[in-house]
Amino acid sequence: MTLGKPLPHDSAPLHVTGQARYVDDIPLPAHALHLAFGKATIAKGRVTAIDLDPVRAAPGVVMVLGPADLPGDCDTSPSAHDEPLLSDQVHFHGQPLFLVVADSHLAARRAATIARVTYETETPILTIEDALAANARFEDGPRIWTRGDVAAALAAAPHHLEGRIEMGGQEHFYLEGQAALALPGEGGEVHVIASTQHPTEVQHKVAHALHVPMHKVRVECRRMGGGFGGKESQGNALAIACAVVAAQTGRPAKMRYDRDDDMILTGKRHDFRIDYRAGFDATGRLTAVDFIHYTRCGWSQDLSLPVADRAMLHADNAYFLPAVRIESHRLRTNMASATAFRGFGGPQGVLGIERVLDHVAHHLGLDPLAVRRANYYDGPAPSGPGTGARYGGPHSPSSPARNTTPYGQTVTGFALHDMTDALAQSADYAARRAAIRDWNADQPILKRGIALTPVKFGISFTLTHLNQAGALVHVYQDGSIHLNHGGTEMGQGLNQKVAQVAADAFGVGIDAVQITATDTAKVPNTSATAASSGSDLNGMAVLAACDTIRGRIAACLAELHQCAPDQVRFADGHVKAGGADMSFAEAALTAYQNRVSLSATGFYKTPDISWDRIKGQGKPFYYFAYGAAVTEVVIDTLTGENRLLRADILHDSGASLNPALDIGQVEGGYVQGAGWLTMEELVWDDAGRLRTHAPATYKIPATSDTPPVFNVALWDRANPEATVRRSKAVGEPPFMLGISALMAISDALAQACPGVYPALDAPATPERVLMTLRRMRAG
Amino acid sequence: MTGTITISLHLNGEAVTATLPARMSLVDFLRETMGLTGAHVGCAHGVCGACTVRVDGAAVRGCLMLAAQADGATVDTIEGLTDTGAIADLQDAFHRHNAVQCGYCSPGMLITAADLLDRATLPDRAEIRDHISGNYCRCTGYQAIVDAISEVATARTKGAA
């Protein structure tokens, strides 16, 4: 059995020896060309004149393309067809105006900076206020979802408060920047090798740009050097540019963004402002909440609608909200178009309600954990002998169920009551909280804080038709297995998990399975590897393909050895049929010699989901994944510096397919989430220029920023839903565990200035912590 | 800007002479001229550490050093260190501890870690954390990396005793 084993990443031996190839590492054929975009230096306006002669005359330049030199608009958008590859209309600072084609990467980049461009500038829309004043938005107005009479419930509540939290965006900072390579083929074919989470979309967009059918375009991705959502749509432009140049010149074309270009050109996590009004009782239990979400989407629609939807879908996080109203404004601003990033709006929605509960607890002088628990959804109802309850019976004496989300989905299998108990105990939450308060009483400068926050994250693409996957499996006559599926590998270990599923299906060791590059010529019409869905969808598709082949082998051997097909056993590298016992390789050879097909496709679609995003009603999620984290911090009240001292995490990955990989996702997700909320700060100036476009000014967590004490455990319980081997998705949910770091800083601040609520915005950089403290002390 | 320079160096144990643009960075020389793509260009600012290689025994940012400056130097990349087996224990520990996810940072991280293990007496976790804080990893959260380095440090100390 390989399933459930903590096998390391399949590519690790290649990673640690430098042999793992990323797009930029692939040796190029002779005469390859290198591309760079010439970028706008204003945030809004239009190009009135452009002199590209200096660019054309620059050393190494082969040609320069403007918008009119393209075969069409070469749209790069994943959604609204609103992103021409090149444009003379400027919608954000950095917008590609022209494309330089040169004989080296540096020659292209140098030449891209020397065009003489004249603009007619307009005032850019940059802030939420600017956008609201101009009614610059996507969709005709805000999306609003309501349950109950929120105004009446707020008026009737014994206690009220209101507030606002602002949270910044986040740069993906995948270590490997965007990159693509196009190799021209015969008869108009093109082979694109891209660092992309979505090969099918690249294929679709390249085919559109070249005016060819999708069958002319093959897109391949062996691995990415990190994705995090940033390679779901943001790589389209590079792949299209390369394909256009390859088609025009007949020469291979490669493009990679250097880090500054990458940060200026590509979208980031959506920043949010959330205004809230809450009504609650003396225990902190909410009776009504009214949220208004404002998010700056940037210049194009990209994936902003489903991102903002998912923020609304996570406005409840783990809590039952009896009456709730969520209003969501998706604002169009003159900035790089905000895009997918791990959590896809979920973290922003979750932070909104976590802030409300932190505020409520402070208002009432209660432990925030007690307030959180008072608002949890109901757990699975106890039933059976000895529980004193007849589940679902008409005479059961019980209060009304608190298990329906604002969008009407029933929460089943809510695991957080038990998980919170277990984590609070293992992390010694109550005793440490008391000890921190004692310690703080004696400390004039340093203050510690602690917080436990939960996460409940909905698993499925909210665009229902995306919840499908395909696979292609071959068994060769020597018993070796070739595995392919539509998911992409960006470090998360998807391929290894899926290979474990395949090995288990055939009862062979993991070494029998060869993982291969994601390839649109092998598995078509795939969805992005996104929404944490990689293992759930592709694992099931692979299992279906393996089951087909195994069934054929079993039928063949059953006939040869006079037994029923379901009595043929595949285990430990052997196949047993009737009295026969042979190696899997012998079984494969026998099947081949008996003219049995040993190749199959597999397909899977998630059952039992439906969703109306306009009404905000339905069952968008197949199930929920859960987690909880305790973080302890210390802040310096003179400098605002903060440190994470300890983190304890308990995370639900169902019956884990691979605990080592899952723990890696949990640790990495937490650190990335804590980075978003404590240090990673995007700053645009008044002209709409991103001032933090390199790691010298944009800080992501280093080793020394992580908590020195870091205890991570999996809540290893089978998923009640019939997912692949009862596992749960684990890519995005742990990201939101980082919210405990922000809430712990809030706790520390509250003790530095008793009686005043910190109302801490994110990221809680030293500067912001200090400003918050000053505001609090000023009363 | 178009001037060239000829350099001679010991690269992964072999004598190499090359003529290249005077402004070419060491990492571009290694990757583009020599085909040694294990060192990656992550930021080209000297911040992320993905391009770290060993020059005369010290861990160096390949993006901040000109190839011309390596004239006469001994340069070792992840490929060369793999061939000699000098860091095989560390590579094996990174593998077993799952200290890699996307793997893009791994070659640089390994060379920085090897630098610590070569020079220090048994480092504690705080020293390890401090030493590798100039190498970014966006995937792992670093815990597995520190675990792997710590294990090798302990094993090497025991082996030497």
Side-chain angles (χ1 to χ4, degrees):
Chain A
M1 281 286 286
T2 58
L3 265 187
K5 278 193 178 171
L7 300 178
H9 196 289
D10 51 283
S11 284
L14 305 178
H15 289 145
V16 300
T17 55
Q19 296 177 76
R21 275 190 183 159
Y22 306 83
V23 172
D24 196 39
D25 299 340
I26 297 169
L28 291 177
H31 311 303
L33 298 167
H34 299 260
L35 316 183
F37 285 126
K39 308 189 298 295
T41 56
I42 63 166
K44 189 179 186 191
R46 74 185 177 90
V47 175
T48 52
I50 183 164
D51 178 5
L52 294 173
D53 288 345
V55 185
R56 291 195 178 92
V61 171
V62 173
M63 64 180 191
V64 183
L65 303 178
D69 303 314
L70 299 175
D73 62 358
C74 296
D75 177 68
T76 72
S77 163
S79 55
H81 205 107
D82 57 353
E83 297 184 47
L85 180 67
L86 304 173
S87 175
D88 51 17
Q89 300 294 318
V90 179
H91 301 288
F92 76 104
H93 177 263
Q95 178 130 26
L97 305 178
F98 60 95
L99 178 65
V100 183
V101 181
D103 61 10
S104 80
H105 173 73
L106 284 179
R109 282 189 57 213
R110 285 196 187 110
T113 62
I114 58 173
R116 287 189 281 262
V117 186
T118 310
Y119 301 97
E120 182 180 290
T121 60
E122 296 174 45
T123 305
I125 294 171
L126 299 173
T127 65
I128 290 170
E129 287 73 18
D130 291 346
L132 289 172
N135 197 33
R137 61 173 72 240
F138 296 97
E139 302 187 292
D140 49 358
R143 288 261 76 75
I144 300 171
W145 302 341
T146 303
R147 172 168 70 191
D149 188 340
V150 176
L154 280 172
H159 298 271
H160 305 89
L161 57 74
E162 60 183 57
R164 164 179 291 183
I165 181 168
E166 305 214 355
M167 60 196 86
Q170 185 178 28
E171 161 64 32
H172 302 83
F173 215 94
Y174 27 64
L175 262 278
E176 178 211 24
Q178 305 280 349
L181 165 65
L183 304 164
E186 59 187 32
E189 292 180 332
V190 61
H191 179 191
V192 177
I193 301 170
S195 183
T196 176
Q197 293 172 239
H198 202 345
T200 286
E201 184 169 272
V202 171
Q203 179 194 24
H204 172 75
K205 301 306 294 188
V206 166
H208 171 267
L210 298 181
H211 308 298
V212 299
M214 287 172 76
H215 68 215
K216 293 282 190 191
V217 183
R218 174 183 165 207
V219 179
E220 195 180 359
C221 175
R222 175 59 186 90
R223 63 172 61 79
M224 285 163 269
F228 315 114
K231 293 172 180 172
E232 186 167 343
S233 62
Q234 302 297 296
N236 292 353
L238 298 88
I240 292 167
C242 288
V244 165
V245 170
Q248 287 197 10
T249 63
R251 293 167 66 174
K254 183 166 86 171
M255 184 172 203
R256 69 174 165 89
Y257 290 160
D258 96 297
R259 185 60 57 179
D260 294 86
D261 280 356
D262 202 307
M263 292 184 73
I264 289 167
L265 286 165
T266 67
K268 294 139 204 348
R269 181 183 297 284
H270 291 68
D271 54 34
F272 268 65
R273 172 191 294 170
I274 297 180
D275 289 347
Y276 56 89
R277 292 188 297 152
F280 47 98
D281 68 16
T283 68
R285 186 174 264 200
L286 296 165
T287 54
V289 187
D290 188 346
F291 284 114
I292 307 178
H293 290 183
Y294 302 93
T295 184
R296 296 189 294 176
C297 301
W299 73 281
S300 69
Q301 185 173 300
D302 189 73
L303 302 166
S304 292
L305 302 189
V307 166
D309 287 354
R310 188 168 275 267
M312 299 172 80
L313 285 164
H314 287 78
D316 60 333
N317 191 22
Y319 312 106
F320 177 68
L321 308 178
V324 57
R325 182 177 181 281
I326 312 160
E327 177 177 318
S328 170
H329 297 261
R330 298 92 192 266
L331 303 171
R332 187 195 297 262
T333 52
N334 293 111
M335 305 151 81
S337 188
T339 191
F341 195 147
R342 200 176 198 169
F344 205 71
Q348 295 92 320
V350 169
L351 183 53
I353 187 69
E354 290 301 331
R355 167 59 174 278
V356 168
L357 293 171
D358 189 62
H359 198 168
V360 166
H362 187 273
H363 182 86
L364 295 172
L366 298 173
D367 179 347
L369 179 57
V371 172
R372 290 189 165 97
R373 300 197 66 156
N375 285 285
Y376 272 176
Y377 284 107
D378 286 345
S383 61
T387 61
R390 290 169 57 205
Y391 180 61
H395 304 298
S396 301
S398 64
S399 50
R402 293 165 50 86
N403 63 357
T404 311
T405 65
Y407 45 91
Q409 176 162 354
T410 303
V411 178
T412 57
F414 185 80
L416 280 167
H417 293 282
D418 291 344
M419 290 178 69
T420 305
D421 284 342
L423 179 66
Q425 186 171 12
S426 71
D428 202 17
Y429 171 82
R432 284 168 60 206
R433 186 167 188 271
I436 285 167
R437 272 142 181 77
D438 290 345
W439 189 86
N440 284 340
D442 296 333
Q443 296 288 329
I445 308 297
L446 301 179
K447 298 291 175 185
R448 293 190 180 197
I450 189 169
L452 187 157
T453 61
V455 59
K456 158 184 142 289
F457 193 77
I459 303 299
S460 292
F461 287 100
T462 57
L463 187 54
T464 301
H465 82 254
L466 297 179
N467 295 288
Q468 58 171 309
L472 177 65
V473 176
H474 307 320
V475 175
Y476 295 103
Q477 56 189 292
D478 66 353
S480 64
I481 298 159
H482 175 107
L483 173 64
N484 199 270
H485 57 84
T488 56
E489 176 62 45
M490 60 195 99
Q492 80 278 45
L494 169 64
N495 280 335
Q496 183 74 317
K497 280 189 175 181
V498 173
Q500 286 175 264
V501 170
D504 184 68
F506 290 117
V508 298
I510 194 77
D511 292 342
V513 181
Q514 179 67 37
I515 291 160
T516 57
T518 313
D519 187 338
T520 58
K522 287 185 179 172
V523 175
N525 308 322
T526 60
S527 296
T529 305
S532 305
S533 68
S535 313
D536 278 10
L537 297 178
N538 295 289
M540 286 299 257
V542 163
L543 190 57
C546 293
D547 282 348
T548 299
I549 297 173
R550 195 178 63 170
R552 291 183 197 146
I553 296 173
C556 170
L557 295 179
E559 190 176 329
L560 290 174
H561 297 287
Q562 298 298 302
C563 66
D566 63 4
Q567 291 173 326
V568 178
R569 292 282 176 267
F570 295 75
D572 303 322
H574 280 252
V575 184
K576 293 178 182 171
D581 183 345
M582 67 199 85
S583 68
F584 181 74
E586 290 168 317
L589 183 62
T590 302
Y592 162 69
Q593 289 169 339
N594 283 276
R595 299 192 294 179
V596 172
S597 166
L598 294 175
S599 176
T601 58
F603 183 77
Y604 176 73
K605 56 181 179 180
T606 310
D608 196 24
I609 47 175
S610 65
W611 171 238
D612 183 332
R613 65 172 289 272
I614 302 302
K615 289 182 185 162
Q617 284 292 315
K619 186 188 174 197
F621 303 123
Y622 188 31
Y623 64 90
F624 297 100
Y626 301 95
V630 180
T631 300
E632 180 178 341
V633 301
V634 61
I635 63 170
D636 182 327
T637 57
L638 295 180
T639 64
E641 287 174 273
N642 56 74
R643 293 270 190 281
L644 310 187
L645 299 176
R646 174 173 166 180
D648 296 77
I649 292 172
L650 185 57
H651 195 82
D652 163 34
S653 57
S656 174
L657 292 174
N658 182 321
L661 296 174
D662 285 352
I663 283 176
Q665 288 298 296
V666 174
E667 291 176 348
Y670 169 86
V671 169
Q672 203 172 59
W676 169 48
L677 296 174
T678 64
M679 66 179 66
E680 299 185 32
E681 186 169 35
L682 294 162
V683 178
W684 283 268
D685 67 14
D686 292 343
R689 292 177 296 185
L690 178 65
R691 306 312 295 183
T692 52
H693 54 76
T697 45
Y698 183 84
K699 176 77 175 73
I700 69 169
T703 318
S704 50
D705 298 311
T706 65
V709 180
F710 198 1
N711 302 311
V712 178
L714 297 179
W715 183 254
D716 205 0
R717 305 283 199 283
N719 189 345
E721 301 299 333
T723 51
V724 58
R725 304 304 191 202
R726 302 282 175 177
S727 63
K728 283 194 179 184
V730 75
E732 293 164 295
F735 182 88
M736 281 147 278
L737 299 172
I739 290 171
S740 59
L742 186 73
M743 292 302 151
I745 295 173
S746 178
D747 184 45
L749 278 166
Q751 293 175 71
C753 188
V756 182
Y757 184 63
L760 176 65
D761 291 330
T765 57
E767 185 181 19
R768 180 162 284 113
V769 167
L770 208 54
M771 290 191 305
T772 302
L773 206 49
R774 280 190 190 155
R775 173 170 44 75
M776 291 169 72
R777 284 177 173 156
Chain B
M1 187 161 147
T2 54
T4 59
I5 189 168
T6 299
I7 61 171
S8 296
L9 65 161
H10 276 275
L11 176 59
N12 293 333
E14 292 180 25
V16 170
T17 298
T19 300
L20 44 93
R23 289 173 46 146
M24 188 176 228
S25 69
L26 178 60
V27 70
D28 283 351
F29 166 68
L30 293 171
R31 291 176 54 80
E32 295 173 13
T33 310
M34 304 310 295
L36 297 167
T37 54
H40 296 123
V41 182
C43 70
H45 285 255
V47 179
C48 80
C51 62
T52 305
V53 294
R54 189 181 276 185
V55 178
D56 290 334
V60 163
R61 302 283 152 129
C63 71
L64 292 186
M65 182 171 170
L66 294 174
Q69 293 173 285
D71 187 32
T74 296
V75 176
D76 297 295
T77 69
I78 192 70
E79 292 90 348
L81 294 174
T82 299
D83 288 347
T84 65
I87 60 167
D89 53 352
L90 198 55
Q91 289 167 313
D92 179 59
F94 267 56
H95 179 189
R96 282 185 293 101
H97 282 273
N98 207 39
V100 296
Q101 286 188 25
C102 86
Y104 204 77
C105 72
S106 303
M109 189 71 80
L110 281 159
I111 287 176
T112 299
D115 188 51
L116 174 70
L117 298 181
D118 283 350
R119 75 163 97 130
T121 52
L122 181 64
D124 61 19
R125 285 184 78 88
E127 286 171 272
I128 295 170
R129 284 161 53 90
D130 184 55
H131 188 80
I132 63 170
S133 280
N135 285 69
Y136 278 151
C137 166
R138 191 53 153 165
C139 299
T140 65
Y142 302 104
Q143 302 309 303
I145 295 173
V146 177
D147 290 346
I149 297 169
S150 182
E151 182 193 276
V152 173
T154 304
R156 283 195 188 179
T157 307
K158 280 183 184 161

